[in-house]
DNA sequence: AATTATTTGTGCGTATGTATC
DNA sequence: AGATACATACGCACAAATAAT
């Protein structure tokens, strides 16, 4: 300690901090007196006071006049947990998100955690804002649904900062290829496979598909779609596949000439797999206006089993999203990461096919 | 300053703090040098350094060796805002809550705020947990839906602590009678009045009602129910009113003999006002099993215009809840309280009657 | 480019006051 | 009452950074 270039009071601070960290002194134990420290280290009492003063400010020690200097209770200070969990989804109100959030909250609130809520609207810029916001709040963990999971994510630097700070992250629905992390998601490939196999088993040979191109779920469902075709020795006509991205979501399905041309392309198809229920419901309406009867002329399958699927005239056959269950599992996984029980959890949940009117061949 | 009993360094601290507070020095302005202060106050430089050292720790000043001592930028430090807003509702997933939360988030996230989410399940104990939790998180404000708003609330002490810490609160849906605060809610009395008047105008003379007894919304809607009757010189038969509380909500409407007796009591009624859509939908089912035709034998009105109202065979006439709009207004109000633009905001929003099958006399 | 004055940073010694045991 | 330990306060010396000359 003597040959060091650092100031003496800093060296003393380090010594005291080490002494405490090593466990030689516990909370409320009495430290050596200022006089003793001065003698022992051959420095002035003033220098000792300087060191102790800073350690008091940093929360390591406290002093009582006439009694001495004592080790502070570090439990509540340096090691403190915020008991906050960040939850970031793409959207908030529609669809499956309330259920997912409820599932997450159900598990976390039992353990005394509180949810910090954010949503990205599936926009990178908003995702960045949310992440930065949460980084400032000393989270214990983060559950997040990726934004445009297929595209390279420009916010990986922020994710890396979470990792650097030791804040565990659980992705739901998808994950980023350029960032290794835990995830809990439904098995989209299997879902796409089940939906397609269902149609094939009902005798459909020419099946069209509408898939989202910029998230992993879309790609996965398409992959399952392909797999089912292969398994039954059916070829896929590329003209029967429509790809869309988040941006052109709304215009696409309202009155665009684009969709009209697509409808025309799939005249020969008797089945249609839609990326999700929302698309499927929109397609039901479009098919109706085109005089195409569902399921008679064309059977339709959606994904997610959202409330939409059960609302309309024609109840929708759909691949059910685990929703609340997924939320619970994501939360439970995060807790395991926080507690250090596990280091990395990557889990895919098996989807379930729910058959309703839109594929029922009830004649 | 000289005759004071306080230590000199504390007196100097006070002097410097006042000097800054009075605006004589602004952020990054240079303070007098240690030497100058020592001379001016006839104290030693050591004492000056002690004072300045503490002010640095408290975030008032910063020093640069060789340059001087400067006033810190207090904006980000002492006056720092957490940019966190607590949002506590009774429930999370079902019904209108996702929309309300979305509305709140829409307004708040634009201003850079993040939502801390909690829900009470309409239980005092959980409400207390939520509140205590949030109190520890240095909120900038709180939006909360009261739990059992009619009953005296056992958690008023916590609410008082929020008030003491200057954290503004906006209640939604209702407010506690024993706690003066801002609120944004739908006008339940008017809603009850509109629903009842609608039935009366359709010629119904004997109208039954099911109301919740332990929140203000239930009482308000009943009050409007009474008002409409008075205005049309109709008497209310107490036997036609069913009161229930949060506890017996579920069992009540499934298979209880209680509800059977009630149904029997309202055999002579041709109209039924239900506390909310959920109750109304349940009643539709019960009436159906009893062979009572809606709206032919009995017209039914619900409240909230939830998705339930549009789902079933018989679309429900309902008094629309402003949902998202209420969320937006609550958030905007809270921001006004935070910014100090206003001190107290108490606002009731006008409901809207949406007519559908369950009261349509389409013959 | 080097010098100088100013200002903060580190460190020592001493004295006295005050709380605790 | 006295020993001990922290609290306040003064004075001095030199180092290091900065800014102006």
């Amino acid at each position: 300690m003597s040959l060091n270039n650092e100031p003496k009071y800093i060296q003393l601070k380090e010594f005291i901090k080490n002494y405490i960290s090593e466990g030689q002194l516990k909370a409320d134990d009495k430290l050596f007196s200022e006089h003793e420290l001065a003698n022992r280290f051959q420095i002035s009492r003033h220098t000792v006071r300087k060191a102790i003063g800073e350690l008091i400010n940093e929360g390591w020690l406290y002093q009582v006049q006439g009694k001495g200097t004592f080790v502070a209770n570090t439990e509540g200070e340096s090691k403190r947990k915020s008991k906050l969990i960040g939850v970031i989804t793409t959207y908030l109100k529609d669809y499956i998100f309330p259920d997912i959030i409820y599932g997450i909250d159900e598990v976390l609130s039992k353990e005394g955690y509180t949810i910090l809520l954010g949503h990205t609207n599936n926009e990178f810029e908003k995702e960045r804002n949310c992440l930065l916001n949460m980084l400032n709040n000393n989270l214990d963990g983060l559950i997040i649904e990726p934004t445009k999971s297929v595209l390279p994510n420009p916010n990986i630097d922020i994710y890396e900062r979470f990792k650097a700070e030791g804040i565990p992250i659980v992705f739901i629905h998808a994950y980023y290829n350029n960032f290794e992390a835990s995830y809990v998601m439904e098995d989209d490939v299997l879902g796409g496979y089940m939906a397609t196999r269902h149609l094939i088993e009902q005798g459909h040979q020419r099946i069209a598909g509408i898939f989202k191109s910029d998230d992993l779920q879309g790609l996965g469902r398409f992959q399952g779609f392909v797999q089912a075709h292969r398994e039954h020795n059916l070829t896929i006509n590329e003209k029967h596949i429509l790809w869309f991205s988040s941006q052109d979501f709304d215009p696409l399905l309202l009155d665009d000439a684009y969709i009209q041309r697509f409808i025309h392309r799939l005249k020969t198809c008797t089945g249609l797999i839609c990326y999700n229920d929302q698309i499927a419901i929109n397609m039901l309406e479009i098919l109706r206006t085109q005089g195409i009867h569902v399921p008679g002329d064309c059977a339709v399958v959606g994904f997610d089993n959202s409330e939409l699927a059960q609302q309309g005239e024609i109840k929708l056959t759909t691949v059910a999203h685990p929703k609340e269950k997924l939320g619970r599992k994501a939360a439970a996984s995060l807790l395991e990461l926080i507690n250090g029980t596990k280091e990395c959890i990557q889990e895919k949940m098996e989807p379930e096919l729910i058959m309703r009117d839109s594929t029922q061949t009830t004649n």
Side-chain angles (χ1 to χ4, degrees), chain A:
Chain A
M1 158 163 180
S2 48
L3 287 179
N4 206 316
N5 270 333
E6 278 187 292
K8 293 183 183 176
Y9 78 98
I10 298 233
Q11 295 180 41
L12 179 56
K13 275 179 66 180
E14 290 306 317
F15 170 82
I16 295 174
K17 282 199 280 187
N18 282 335
Y19 205 79
I20 295 172
S21 298
E22 286 165 7
Q24 308 217 36
L25 286 177
K26 289 168 191 171
D28 298 317
D29 281 355
K30 187 171 180 300
L31 190 71
F32 319 100
S33 73
E34 294 177 353
H35 190 67
E36 199 179 338
L37 283 169
N39 273 342
R40 185 189 295 213
F41 291 97
Q42 284 300 298
I43 55 180
S44 74
R45 193 181 146 217
H46 177 271
T47 305
V48 172
R49 282 184 64 74
K50 168 97 178 164
I52 290 178
E54 295 205 354
L55 288 175
I56 288 172
N57 265 314
E58 292 169 22
W60 289 81
L61 302 172
Y62 66 92
Q63 287 187 312
V64 180
Q65 189 177 148
K67 281 182 81 173
T69 306
F70 305 87
V71 176
N73 181 358
T74 57
E75 294 307 316
E77 282 291 329
S78 58
K79 282 184 179 181
R80 80 163 178 284
K81 300 256 177 178
S82 63
K83 284 288 182 180
L84 286 181
I85 303 285
V87 173
I88 301 177
T89 56
T90 49
Y91 305 103
L92 262 188
K93 63 170 179 174
D94 306 311
Y95 230 53
I96 54 182
F97 298 102
D99 291 280
I100 294 174
I101 292 170
Y102 179 80
I104 292 172
D105 186 78
E106 207 177 352
V107 172
L108 292 184
S109 63
K110 262 184 202 154
E111 302 293 325
Y113 288 92
T114 309
I115 285 180
L116 244 174
L117 196 64
H119 75 284
T120 67
N121 263 323
N122 214 19
E123 295 164 18
F124 287 135
E125 185 65 22
K126 275 210 166 190
E127 185 192 35
R128 191 174 188 88
N129 283 341
C130 279
L131 288 170
L132 284 173
N133 220 320
M134 302 216 162
L135 204 53
N136 289 329
N137 279 301
N138 191 28
L139 297 181
D140 288 338
L142 175 67
I143 296 176
I144 181 164
E145 179 191 23
T147 288
K148 297 174 186 163
S149 46
V150 165
L151 304 184
N153 185 287
N155 303 323
I156 291 294
D157 54 326
I158 318 287
Y159 285 105
E160 293 291 356
R161 281 170 64 185
F162 275 93
K163 193 177 266 184
E165 291 196 18
I167 301 170
I169 301 179
V170 170
F171 286 96
I172 57 174
H173 278 179
Y175 51 85
Y176 292 119
N177 272 321
N178 48 344
F179 184 75
E180 175 79 13
S182 298
Y183 59 77
V184 174
M185 54 191 283
E186 67 275 26
D187 191 333
D188 289 304
V189 177
L190 183 55
Y193 172 81
M194 287 164 68
T196 313
R197 188 186 58 185
H198 170 62
L199 288 184
I200 293 174
E201 283 173 352
Q202 287 204 330
H204 299 281
Q205 300 267 328
R206 288 179 305 282
I207 302 170
I210 302 182
F211 298 100
K212 197 172 187 179
S213 58
D214 57 357
D215 71 15
L216 274 185
Q217 302 179 274
L219 294 192
R221 287 165 192 181
F222 174 70
Q223 195 180 325
F225 177 85
V226 172
Q227 195 177 314
H229 276 78
R230 288 229 185 92
E231 217 163 81
H232 292 80
N233 290 315
L234 292 172
T235 54
I236 294 173
N237 186 338
E238 275 196 32
K239 284 191 182 171
H240 297 159
I241 308 297
L242 180 68
W243 291 98
F244 71 97
S245 66
S246 296
Q247 281 86 348
D248 45 33
F249 179 65
D250 266 0
L252 173 74
L253 287 161
L254 290 180
D255 56 356
D256 205 314
Y258 188 55
I259 189 70
Q260 299 296 341
R261 284 201 302 276
F262 176 69
I263 295 281
H264 195 259
R265 291 210 305 257
L266 54 78
K267 272 273 159 66
T268 59
C269 295
T270 61
L272 173 63
I273 307 274
C274 295
Y275 169 77
N276 64 15
D277 290 346
Q278 209 170 344
I279 303 278
I281 293 292
N282 278 310
M283 287 305 295
L284 287 184
E285 179 61 17
I286 291 172
L287 292 173
R288 196 184 59 77
T289 60
Q290 301 281 323
I292 301 170
H293 185 251
V294 175
D297 300 330
C298 183
V300 175
V301 183
F303 278 81
D304 292 347
N305 190 28
S306 70
E307 288 173 350
L308 296 168
Q310 307 164 58
Q311 265 176 28
E313 285 295 294
I314 304 169
K315 313 292 184 220
L316 197 65
T317 291
T318 186
V319 179
H321 188 291
K323 289 189 264 195
E324 204 176 310
K325 197 174 163 193
L326 183 140
R328 283 199 300 267
K329 183 148 272 178
S333 301
L334 185 62
L335 288 178
E336 286 190 300
L337 295 177
I338 290 173
N339 300 335
T341 322
K342 292 190 182 170
E343 292 228 326
C344 185
I345 298 170
Q346 302 190 327
E347 186 156 341
K348 294 194 177 179
M349 303 176 72
E350 196 163 319
E352 185 194 357
L353 184 74
I354 296 179
M355 278 165 280
R356 296 209 185 86
D357 307 341
S358 69
T359 63
Q360 226 73 321
T361 48
T362 45
N363 304 322

